[in-house]
Amino acid sequence: MIKVLLLADTHLGFDLPSRPRVDRRRRGPDFFACTRRALEPALAGEVDLVVHGGDLLFRSKVRPGLVAQALEPLLEVADRGVPVVLVPGNHERSALPYPLLAMHEHLHVLDRPRTVRLDLAGTRVAVGGFPCERDEIRDRFRALVSGCGLREADAAIRLLCLHQTVEGARVEGHTFRSGRDVVRGCDIPPGVAAVLCGHIHRSQVLRSDLAGRALAAPVFYPGSVERTSLAEREEAKGYLTLEIGADGQPGGRVISHEFHELPARPMVCTSVDASGLTSAELEQRIREELGAVSAEAVVSLRIEGELLPGSGRVLREEGLRTFHPPSMTVAVRLPSPVSA
């Protein structure tokens, strides 16, 4: 039996400018902190393999220093002798920038359809996959999986690693059913213990297609490590650990899995109706609204109604920052136009 740690969608570099023009709390360190927290079991020697399901970075065009900074936590795990497999996601445009920075004998980047063979805990393990594909993946998925050579690998445990949307995956208010970028459930291959997947930010496990037919292998989404948008404000964020056994079933099977919640920052939506309020009254209402939420929150503050002449000055960024603790991150949505 082996133990695998699965994380994905770390989006490192988000809200982390190299030369910030405004002195305020940035969200960038939150993403790094949750990523490092997720990797603690690997650094402690509690798992045999780490899989990163893609979107290590928040976008593809970044400076080399950010890539080095983003890879550092994974390389620390690799330095401990724990193999790390990384699937480039759509935010990397399916290719890790500055790939030479990822050179390490224990860090394996699935930069093309291929399979990595590992000996873990006395067990031969094959880990295969390919970078995120958005071009007609629905019709090309089987061929891409075949091109990995995973199912032909001589291994007791086989794992397929992807950064794709699989039929039945859910996000807030929506279930993915069809589309050129959605993998059919019936195309999940047999002969693998599990599909370890990034791209969907909500943690979930898919075991059947939309018609109720069992998938050939379960699909595991760990979700993102931090909240990336207000649509995710009700979702727990974290990573997965899986125990996978080689007990005679072709490719092995998942014996157990566990979701581990990370201390993602709370997100709050709130609003203030500015209709008829003087600048002093508007300031007081905003202070009251922000005072009612956690000092660590990421807040979306919507200003509604018609502003009185002169009250718009209250909403200037430098003034707003005095209305809440520095530990809070506030974004204001203003009515248009705003009176000066």
Side-chain angles (χ1 to χ4, degrees), residues 180-215:
R180 294 177 176 178
D181 60 346
V182 178
V183 176
R184 297 180 184 89
C186 62
D187 288 338
I188 298 298
V192 302
V195 179
L196 309 182
C197 208
H199 195 39
I200 301 298
H201 288 192
R202 173 181 286 189
S203 181
Q204 57 202 282
V205 182
L206 308 181
R207 298 187 183 277
S208 59
D209 64 15
L210 293 173
R213 296 179 293 252
L215 301 181

PDB file of all heavy atoms in Angstrom, residues 180-215:
ATOM      1  N   ARG A 180     -16.968  20.546 -25.556  1.00  0.00           N
ATOM      2  CA  ARG A 180     -15.733  20.059 -26.145  1.00  0.00           C
ATOM      3  C   ARG A 180     -14.595  19.954 -25.148  1.00  0.00           C
ATOM      4  O   ARG A 180     -13.619  19.256 -25.392  1.00  0.00           O
ATOM      5  CB  ARG A 180     -15.331  20.983 -27.296  1.00  0.00           C
ATOM      6  CG  ARG A 180     -16.317  20.950 -28.461  1.00  0.00           C
ATOM      7  CD  ARG A 180     -15.923  21.935 -29.546  1.00  0.00           C
ATOM      8  NE  ARG A 180     -16.812  21.840 -30.693  1.00  0.00           N
ATOM      9  CZ  ARG A 180     -16.719  22.610 -31.776  1.00  0.00           C
ATOM     10  NH1 ARG A 180     -15.773  23.529 -31.837  1.00  0.00           N
ATOM     11  NH2 ARG A 180     -17.568  22.458 -32.778  1.00  0.00           N
ATOM     12  N   ASP A 181     -14.716  20.664 -24.022  1.00  0.00           N
ATOM     13  CA  ASP A 181     -13.644  20.612 -23.013  1.00  0.00           C
ATOM     14  C   ASP A 181     -14.034  19.763 -21.813  1.00  0.00           C
ATOM     15  O   ASP A 181     -13.417  19.857 -20.756  1.00  0.00           O
ATOM     16  CB  ASP A 181     -13.273  22.024 -22.568  1.00  0.00           C
ATOM     17  CG  ASP A 181     -14.451  22.764 -21.952  1.00  0.00           C
ATOM     18  OD1 ASP A 181     -15.600  22.305 -22.110  1.00  0.00           O
ATOM     19  OD2 ASP A 181     -14.232  23.820 -21.322  1.00  0.00           O
ATOM     20  N   VAL A 182     -15.060  18.915 -21.950  1.00  0.00           N
ATOM     21  CA  VAL A 182     -15.521  18.045 -20.863  1.00  0.00           C
ATOM     22  C   VAL A 182     -15.287  16.587 -21.249  1.00  0.00           C
ATOM     23  O   VAL A 182     -15.759  16.120 -22.297  1.00  0.00           O
ATOM     24  CB  VAL A 182     -17.010  18.271 -20.553  1.00  0.00           C
ATOM     25  CG1 VAL A 182     -17.484  17.315 -19.451  1.00  0.00           C
ATOM     26  CG2 VAL A 182     -17.257  19.723 -20.129  1.00  0.00           C
ATOM     27  N   VAL A 183     -14.569  15.859 -20.405  1.00  0.00           N
ATOM     28  CA  VAL A 183     -14.273  14.446 -20.657  1.00  0.00           C
ATOM     29  C   VAL A 183     -15.491  13.594 -20.323  1.00  0.00           C
ATOM     30  O   VAL A 183     -16.104  13.758 -19.260  1.00  0.00           O
ATOM     31  CB  VAL A 183     -13.067  13.993 -19.803  1.00  0.00           C
ATOM     32  CG1 VAL A 183     -12.812  12.498 -19.971  1.00  0.00           C
ATOM     33  CG2 VAL A 183     -11.823  14.803 -20.175  1.00  0.00           C
ATOM     34  N   ARG A 184     -15.857  12.699 -21.216  1.00  0.00           N
ATOM     35  CA  ARG A 184     -16.971  11.784 -20.941  1.00  0.00           C
ATOM     36  C   ARG A 184     -16.600  10.815 -19.822  1.00  0.00           C
ATOM     37  O   ARG A 184     -15.479  10.309 -19.758  1.00  0.00           O
ATOM     38  CB  ARG A 184     -17.313  10.969 -22.187  1.00  0.00           C
ATOM     39  CG  ARG A 184     -17.811  11.771 -23.379  1.00  0.00           C
ATOM     40  CD  ARG A 184     -18.117  10.814 -24.529  1.00  0.00           C
ATOM     41  NE  ARG A 184     -18.499  11.514 -25.733  1.00  0.00           N
ATOM     42  CZ  ARG A 184     -17.643  11.941 -26.669  1.00  0.00           C
ATOM     43  NH1 ARG A 184     -16.341  11.718 -26.509  1.00  0.00           N
ATOM     44  NH2 ARG A 184     -18.083  12.553 -27.742  1.00  0.00           N
ATOM     45  N   GLY A 185     -17.568  10.523 -18.971  1.00  0.00           N
ATOM     46  CA  GLY A 185     -17.321   9.559 -17.918  1.00  0.00           C
ATOM     47  C   GLY A 185     -16.977   8.191 -18.455  1.00  0.00           C
ATOM     48  O   GLY A 185     -16.131   7.476 -17.893  1.00  0.00           O
ATOM     49  N   CYS A 186     -17.604   7.800 -19.564  1.00  0.00           N
ATOM     50  CA  CYS A 186     -17.358   6.473 -20.135  1.00  0.00           C
ATOM     51  C   CYS A 186     -15.960   6.339 -20.721  1.00  0.00           C
ATOM     52  O   CYS A 186     -15.513   5.223 -21.026  1.00  0.00           O
ATOM     53  CB  CYS A 186     -18.406   6.142 -21.196  1.00  0.00           C
ATOM     54  SG  CYS A 186     -18.401   7.261 -22.620  1.00  0.00           S
ATOM     55  N   ASP A 187     -15.235   7.463 -20.870  1.00  0.00           N
ATOM     56  CA  ASP A 187     -13.886   7.410 -21.424  1.00  0.00           C
ATOM     57  C   ASP A 187     -12.802   7.293 -20.352  1.00  0.00           C
ATOM     58  O   ASP A 187     -11.616   7.172 -20.687  1.00  0.00           O
ATOM     59  CB  ASP A 187     -13.614   8.660 -22.282  1.00  0.00           C
ATOM     60  CG  ASP A 187     -14.386   8.643 -23.593  1.00  0.00           C
ATOM     61  OD1 ASP A 187     -14.774   7.539 -24.025  1.00  0.00           O
ATOM     62  OD2 ASP A 187     -14.611   9.720 -24.176  1.00  0.00           O
ATOM     63  N   ILE A 188     -13.192   7.337 -19.091  1.00  0.00           N
ATOM     64  CA  ILE A 188     -12.206   7.091 -18.026  1.00  0.00           C
ATOM     65  C   ILE A 188     -11.716   5.657 -18.180  1.00  0.00           C
ATOM     66  O   ILE A 188     -12.512   4.716 -18.220  1.00  0.00           O
ATOM     67  CB  ILE A 188     -12.829   7.302 -16.634  1.00  0.00           C
ATOM     68  CG1 ILE A 188     -13.285   8.757 -16.464  1.00  0.00           C
ATOM     69  CG2 ILE A 188     -11.851   6.913 -15.539  1.00  0.00           C
ATOM     70  CD1 ILE A 188     -12.182   9.780 -16.555  1.00  0.00           C
ATOM     71  N   PRO A 189     -10.399   5.450 -18.286  1.00  0.00           N
ATOM     72  CA  PRO A 189      -9.902   4.113 -18.655  1.00  0.00           C
ATOM     73  C   PRO A 189      -9.923   3.128 -17.487  1.00  0.00           C
ATOM     74  O   PRO A 189      -9.725   3.510 -16.327  1.00  0.00           O
ATOM     75  CB  PRO A 189      -8.468   4.400 -19.089  1.00  0.00           C
ATOM     76  CG  PRO A 189      -8.063   5.587 -18.267  1.00  0.00           C
ATOM     77  CD  PRO A 189      -9.303   6.436 -18.158  1.00  0.00           C
ATOM     78  N   PRO A 190     -10.118   1.859 -17.773  1.00  0.00           N
ATOM     79  CA  PRO A 190      -9.924   0.824 -16.757  1.00  0.00           C
ATOM     80  C   PRO A 190      -8.430   0.580 -16.566  1.00  0.00           C
ATOM     81  O   PRO A 190      -7.593   1.115 -17.299  1.00  0.00           O
ATOM     82  CB  PRO A 190     -10.621  -0.393 -17.375  1.00  0.00           C
ATOM     83  CG  PRO A 190     -10.468  -0.183 -18.858  1.00  0.00           C
ATOM     84  CD  PRO A 190     -10.542   1.310 -19.077  1.00  0.00           C
ATOM     85  N   GLY A 191      -8.109  -0.227 -15.578  1.00  0.00           N
ATOM     86  CA  GLY A 191      -6.716  -0.603 -15.357  1.00  0.00           C
ATOM     87  C   GLY A 191      -5.915   0.437 -14.607  1.00  0.00           C
ATOM     88  O   GLY A 191      -4.689   0.349 -14.556  1.00  0.00           O
ATOM     89  N   VAL A 192      -6.588   1.438 -14.028  1.00  0.00           N
ATOM     90  CA  VAL A 192      -5.915   2.416 -13.174  1.00  0.00           C
ATOM     91  C   VAL A 192      -6.655   2.457 -11.844  1.00  0.00           C
ATOM     92  O   VAL A 192      -7.857   2.212 -11.775  1.00  0.00           O
ATOM     93  CB  VAL A 192      -5.855   3.822 -13.811  1.00  0.00           C
ATOM     94  CG1 VAL A 192      -5.134   3.780 -15.151  1.00  0.00           C
ATOM     95  CG2 VAL A 192      -7.245   4.420 -13.983  1.00  0.00           C
ATOM     96  N   ALA A 193      -5.918   2.766 -10.781  1.00  0.00           N
ATOM     97  CA  ALA A 193      -6.544   2.818  -9.458  1.00  0.00           C
ATOM     98  C   ALA A 193      -7.393   4.063  -9.295  1.00  0.00           C
ATOM     99  O   ALA A 193      -8.451   4.034  -8.651  1.00  0.00           O
ATOM    100  CB  ALA A 193      -5.473   2.769  -8.372  1.00  0.00           C
ATOM    101  N   ALA A 194      -6.916   5.199  -9.869  1.00  0.00           N
ATOM    102  CA  ALA A 194      -7.615   6.463  -9.670  1.00  0.00           C
ATOM    103  C   ALA A 194      -7.162   7.464 -10.717  1.00  0.00           C
ATOM    104  O   ALA A 194      -6.066   7.350 -11.286  1.00  0.00           O
ATOM    105  CB  ALA A 194      -7.358   7.010  -8.273  1.00  0.00           C
ATOM    106  N   VAL A 195      -8.015   8.453 -10.933  1.00  0.00           N
ATOM    107  CA  VAL A 195      -7.667   9.627 -11.724  1.00  0.00           C
ATOM    108  C   VAL A 195      -7.499  10.782 -10.740  1.00  0.00           C
ATOM    109  O   VAL A 195      -8.427  11.118  -9.998  1.00  0.00           O
ATOM    110  CB  VAL A 195      -8.755   9.958 -12.759  1.00  0.00           C
ATOM    111  CG1 VAL A 195      -8.374  11.205 -13.560  1.00  0.00           C
ATOM    112  CG2 VAL A 195      -9.000   8.768 -13.687  1.00  0.00           C
ATOM    113  N   LEU A 196      -6.306  11.360 -10.709  1.00  0.00           N
ATOM    114  CA  LEU A 196      -5.987  12.456  -9.797  1.00  0.00           C
ATOM    115  C   LEU A 196      -5.995  13.739 -10.605  1.00  0.00           C
ATOM    116  O   LEU A 196      -5.181  13.913 -11.516  1.00  0.00           O
ATOM    117  CB  LEU A 196      -4.635  12.216  -9.136  1.00  0.00           C
ATOM    118  CG  LEU A 196      -4.454  10.842  -8.477  1.00  0.00           C
ATOM    119  CD1 LEU A 196      -3.090  10.739  -7.809  1.00  0.00           C
ATOM    120  CD2 LEU A 196      -5.568  10.568  -7.472  1.00  0.00           C
ATOM    121  N   CYS A 197      -6.903  14.635 -10.276  1.00  0.00           N
ATOM    122  CA  CYS A 197      -7.241  15.695 -11.211  1.00  0.00           C
ATOM    123  C   CYS A 197      -7.264  17.074 -10.563  1.00  0.00           C
ATOM    124  O   CYS A 197      -7.709  17.236  -9.419  1.00  0.00           O
ATOM    125  CB  CYS A 197      -8.618  15.400 -11.808  1.00  0.00           C
ATOM    126  SG  CYS A 197      -8.877  16.064 -13.461  1.00  0.00           S
ATOM    127  N   GLY A 198      -6.778  18.060 -11.313  1.00  0.00           N
ATOM    128  CA  GLY A 198      -6.936  19.455 -10.959  1.00  0.00           C
ATOM    129  C   GLY A 198      -7.879  20.127 -11.928  1.00  0.00           C
ATOM    130  O   GLY A 198      -8.419  19.510 -12.845  1.00  0.00           O
ATOM    131  N   HIS A 199      -8.113  21.427 -11.725  1.00  0.00           N
ATOM    132  CA  HIS A 199      -8.883  22.292 -12.612  1.00  0.00           C
ATOM    133  C   HIS A 199     -10.207  22.720 -11.995  1.00  0.00           C
ATOM    134  O   HIS A 199     -10.614  23.868 -12.162  1.00  0.00           O
ATOM    135  CB  HIS A 199      -9.123  21.646 -13.977  1.00  0.00           C
ATOM    136  CG  HIS A 199      -9.598  22.603 -15.029  1.00  0.00           C
ATOM    137  ND1 HIS A 199      -9.115  23.892 -15.146  1.00  0.00           N
ATOM    138  CD2 HIS A 199     -10.523  22.470 -16.026  1.00  0.00           C
ATOM    139  CE1 HIS A 199      -9.704  24.498 -16.163  1.00  0.00           C
ATOM    140  NE2 HIS A 199     -10.562  23.654 -16.707  1.00  0.00           N
ATOM    141  N   ILE A 200     -10.908  21.825 -11.308  1.00  0.00           N
ATOM    142  CA  ILE A 200     -12.151  22.186 -10.627  1.00  0.00           C
ATOM    143  C   ILE A 200     -11.798  22.573  -9.196  1.00  0.00           C
ATOM    144  O   ILE A 200     -11.151  21.802  -8.486  1.00  0.00           O
ATOM    145  CB  ILE A 200     -13.156  21.020 -10.652  1.00  0.00           C
ATOM    146  CG1 ILE A 200     -13.481  20.625 -12.093  1.00  0.00           C
ATOM    147  CG2 ILE A 200     -14.424  21.399  -9.900  1.00  0.00           C
ATOM    148  CD1 ILE A 200     -14.125  21.701 -12.915  1.00  0.00           C
ATOM    149  N   HIS A 201     -12.225  23.742  -8.764  1.00  0.00           N
ATOM    150  CA  HIS A 201     -11.777  24.285  -7.481  1.00  0.00           C
ATOM    151  C   HIS A 201     -12.552  23.752  -6.280  1.00  0.00           C
ATOM    152  O   HIS A 201     -12.175  24.032  -5.139  1.00  0.00           O
ATOM    153  CB  HIS A 201     -11.856  25.814  -7.502  1.00  0.00           C
ATOM    154  CG  HIS A 201     -10.802  26.451  -8.353  1.00  0.00           C
ATOM    155  ND1 HIS A 201     -10.537  27.792  -8.338  1.00  0.00           N
ATOM    156  CD2 HIS A 201      -9.928  25.907  -9.241  1.00  0.00           C
ATOM    157  CE1 HIS A 201      -9.555  28.070  -9.176  1.00  0.00           C
ATOM    158  NE2 HIS A 201      -9.174  26.933  -9.742  1.00  0.00           N
ATOM    159  N   ARG A 202     -13.603  23.020  -6.499  1.00  0.00           N
ATOM    160  CA  ARG A 202     -14.367  22.415  -5.394  1.00  0.00           C
ATOM    161  C   ARG A 202     -13.916  20.976  -5.203  1.00  0.00           C
ATOM    162  O   ARG A 202     -13.920  20.188  -6.146  1.00  0.00           O
ATOM    163  CB  ARG A 202     -15.863  22.469  -5.676  1.00  0.00           C
ATOM    164  CG  ARG A 202     -16.699  21.706  -4.647  1.00  0.00           C
ATOM    165  CD  ARG A 202     -18.170  21.744  -4.956  1.00  0.00           C
ATOM    166  NE  ARG A 202     -18.730  23.052  -4.668  1.00  0.00           N
ATOM    167  CZ  ARG A 202     -20.033  23.310  -4.685  1.00  0.00           C
ATOM    168  NH1 ARG A 202     -20.899  22.357  -5.004  1.00  0.00           N
ATOM    169  NH2 ARG A 202     -20.473  24.519  -4.401  1.00  0.00           N
ATOM    170  N   SER A 203     -13.557  20.597  -3.985  1.00  0.00           N
ATOM    171  CA  SER A 203     -13.142  19.226  -3.710  1.00  0.00           C
ATOM    172  C   SER A 203     -14.318  18.275  -3.882  1.00  0.00           C
ATOM    173  O   SER A 203     -15.419  18.534  -3.383  1.00  0.00           O
ATOM    174  CB  SER A 203     -12.593  19.120  -2.284  1.00  0.00           C
ATOM    175  OG  SER A 203     -12.171  17.793  -2.019  1.00  0.00           O
ATOM    176  N   GLN A 204     -14.082  17.166  -4.588  1.00  0.00           N
ATOM    177  CA  GLN A 204     -15.146  16.191  -4.836  1.00  0.00           C
ATOM    178  C   GLN A 204     -14.551  14.908  -5.385  1.00  0.00           C
ATOM    179  O   GLN A 204     -13.414  14.892  -5.879  1.00  0.00           O
ATOM    180  CB  GLN A 204     -16.176  16.749  -5.828  1.00  0.00           C
ATOM    181  CG  GLN A 204     -15.586  17.180  -7.154  1.00  0.00           C
ATOM    182  CD  GLN A 204     -16.468  18.179  -7.870  1.00  0.00           C
ATOM    183  OE1 GLN A 204     -17.472  17.793  -8.472  1.00  0.00           O
ATOM    184  NE2 GLN A 204     -16.111  19.457  -7.799  1.00  0.00           N
ATOM    185  N   VAL A 205     -15.341  13.849  -5.298  1.00  0.00           N
ATOM    186  CA  VAL A 205     -14.953  12.549  -5.847  1.00  0.00           C
ATOM    187  C   VAL A 205     -16.064  12.097  -6.780  1.00  0.00           C
ATOM    188  O   VAL A 205     -17.234  12.049  -6.390  1.00  0.00           O
ATOM    189  CB  VAL A 205     -14.732  11.505  -4.734  1.00  0.00           C
ATOM    190  CG1 VAL A 205     -14.278  10.187  -5.344  1.00  0.00           C
ATOM    191  CG2 VAL A 205     -13.727  12.005  -3.711  1.00  0.00           C
ATOM    192  N   LEU A 206     -15.704  11.768  -8.013  1.00  0.00           N
ATOM    193  CA  LEU A 206     -16.670  11.279  -8.995  1.00  0.00           C
ATOM    194  C   LEU A 206     -16.526   9.771  -9.109  1.00  0.00           C
ATOM    195  O   LEU A 206     -15.427   9.267  -9.365  1.00  0.00           O
ATOM    196  CB  LEU A 206     -16.424  11.925 -10.361  1.00  0.00           C
ATOM    197  CG  LEU A 206     -16.326  13.452 -10.402  1.00  0.00           C
ATOM    198  CD1 LEU A 206     -16.110  13.929 -11.829  1.00  0.00           C
ATOM    199  CD2 LEU A 206     -17.547  14.102  -9.793  1.00  0.00           C
ATOM    200  N   ARG A 207     -17.637   9.070  -8.941  1.00  0.00           N
ATOM    201  CA  ARG A 207     -17.613   7.614  -9.036  1.00  0.00           C
ATOM    202  C   ARG A 207     -18.552   7.087 -10.120  1.00  0.00           C
ATOM    203  O   ARG A 207     -18.510   5.901 -10.445  1.00  0.00           O
ATOM    204  CB  ARG A 207     -17.994   6.988  -7.691  1.00  0.00           C
ATOM    205  CG  ARG A 207     -17.023   7.355  -6.573  1.00  0.00           C
ATOM    206  CD  ARG A 207     -17.318   6.591  -5.304  1.00  0.00           C
ATOM    207  NE  ARG A 207     -16.440   6.978  -4.214  1.00  0.00           N
ATOM    208  CZ  ARG A 207     -15.218   6.499  -4.022  1.00  0.00           C
ATOM    209  NH1 ARG A 207     -14.741   5.590  -4.863  1.00  0.00           N
ATOM    210  NH2 ARG A 207     -14.477   6.905  -3.007  1.00  0.00           N
ATOM    211  N   SER A 208     -19.422   7.935 -10.662  1.00  0.00           N
ATOM    212  CA  SER A 208     -20.348   7.509 -11.700  1.00  0.00           C
ATOM    213  C   SER A 208     -20.583   8.651 -12.672  1.00  0.00           C
ATOM    214  O   SER A 208     -20.318   9.823 -12.354  1.00  0.00           O
ATOM    215  CB  SER A 208     -21.685   7.060 -11.085  1.00  0.00           C
ATOM    216  OG  SER A 208     -22.280   8.120 -10.349  1.00  0.00           O
ATOM    217  N   ASP A 209     -21.070   8.299 -13.867  1.00  0.00           N
ATOM    218  CA  ASP A 209     -21.383   9.340 -14.844  1.00  0.00           C
ATOM    219  C   ASP A 209     -22.794   9.865 -14.581  1.00  0.00           C
ATOM    220  O   ASP A 209     -23.457   9.466 -13.617  1.00  0.00           O
ATOM    221  CB  ASP A 209     -21.207   8.822 -16.268  1.00  0.00           C
ATOM    222  CG  ASP A 209     -22.183   7.697 -16.621  1.00  0.00           C
ATOM    223  OD1 ASP A 209     -23.179   7.492 -15.903  1.00  0.00           O
ATOM    224  OD2 ASP A 209     -21.932   7.019 -17.640  1.00  0.00           O
ATOM    225  N   LEU A 210     -23.257  10.751 -15.431  1.00  0.00           N
ATOM    226  CA  LEU A 210     -24.556  11.390 -15.193  1.00  0.00           C
ATOM    227  C   LEU A 210     -25.727  10.445 -15.391  1.00  0.00           C
ATOM    228  O   LEU A 210     -26.843  10.738 -14.958  1.00  0.00           O
ATOM    229  CB  LEU A 210     -24.691  12.617 -16.101  1.00  0.00           C
ATOM    230  CG  LEU A 210     -23.720  13.752 -15.771  1.00  0.00           C
ATOM    231  CD1 LEU A 210     -23.809  14.844 -16.807  1.00  0.00           C
ATOM    232  CD2 LEU A 210     -24.003  14.309 -14.384  1.00  0.00           C
ATOM    233  N   ALA A 211     -25.468   9.301 -16.017  1.00  0.00           N
ATOM    234  CA  ALA A 211     -26.512   8.287 -16.166  1.00  0.00           C
ATOM    235  C   ALA A 211     -26.491   7.284 -15.021  1.00  0.00           C
ATOM    236  O   ALA A 211     -27.283   6.333 -15.019  1.00  0.00           O
ATOM    237  CB  ALA A 211     -26.345   7.560 -17.504  1.00  0.00           C
ATOM    238  N   GLY A 212     -25.602   7.484 -14.060  1.00  0.00           N
ATOM    239  CA  GLY A 212     -25.522   6.592 -12.913  1.00  0.00           C
ATOM    240  C   GLY A 212     -24.630   5.389 -13.114  1.00  0.00           C
ATOM    241  O   GLY A 212     -24.545   4.531 -12.222  1.00  0.00           O
ATOM    242  N   ARG A 213     -23.952   5.300 -14.261  1.00  0.00           N
ATOM    243  CA  ARG A 213     -23.063   4.166 -14.514  1.00  0.00           C
ATOM    244  C   ARG A 213     -21.733   4.387 -13.806  1.00  0.00           C
ATOM    245  O   ARG A 213     -21.179   5.497 -13.857  1.00  0.00           O
ATOM    246  CB  ARG A 213     -22.839   3.992 -16.017  1.00  0.00           C
ATOM    247  CG  ARG A 213     -24.106   3.643 -16.802  1.00  0.00           C
ATOM    248  CD  ARG A 213     -23.781   3.530 -18.285  1.00  0.00           C
ATOM    249  NE  ARG A 213     -23.417   4.832 -18.829  1.00  0.00           N
ATOM    250  CZ  ARG A 213     -24.194   5.548 -19.645  1.00  0.00           C
ATOM    251  NH1 ARG A 213     -25.376   5.089 -20.013  1.00  0.00           N
ATOM    252  NH2 ARG A 213     -23.776   6.724 -20.109  1.00  0.00           N
ATOM    253  N   ALA A 214     -21.206   3.341 -13.183  1.00  0.00           N
ATOM    254  CA  ALA A 214     -19.949   3.457 -12.444  1.00  0.00           C
ATOM    255  C   ALA A 214     -18.799   3.768 -13.393  1.00  0.00           C
ATOM    256  O   ALA A 214     -18.698   3.190 -14.485  1.00  0.00           O
ATOM    257  CB  ALA A 214     -19.670   2.164 -11.683  1.00  0.00           C
ATOM    258  N   LEU A 215     -17.940   4.686 -12.979  1.00  0.00           N
ATOM    259  CA  LEU A 215     -16.738   4.972 -13.747  1.00  0.00           C
ATOM    260  C   LEU A 215     -15.752   3.817 -13.602  1.00  0.00           C
ATOM    261  O   LEU A 215     -15.734   3.119 -12.584  1.00  0.00           O
ATOM    262  CB  LEU A 215     -16.088   6.268 -13.262  1.00  0.00           C
ATOM    263  CG  LEU A 215     -16.928   7.548 -13.322  1.00  0.00           C
ATOM    264  CD1 LEU A 215     -16.111   8.735 -12.816  1.00  0.00           C
ATOM    265  CD2 LEU A 215     -17.419   7.811 -14.741  1.00  0.00           C
TER     266      LEU A 215
END
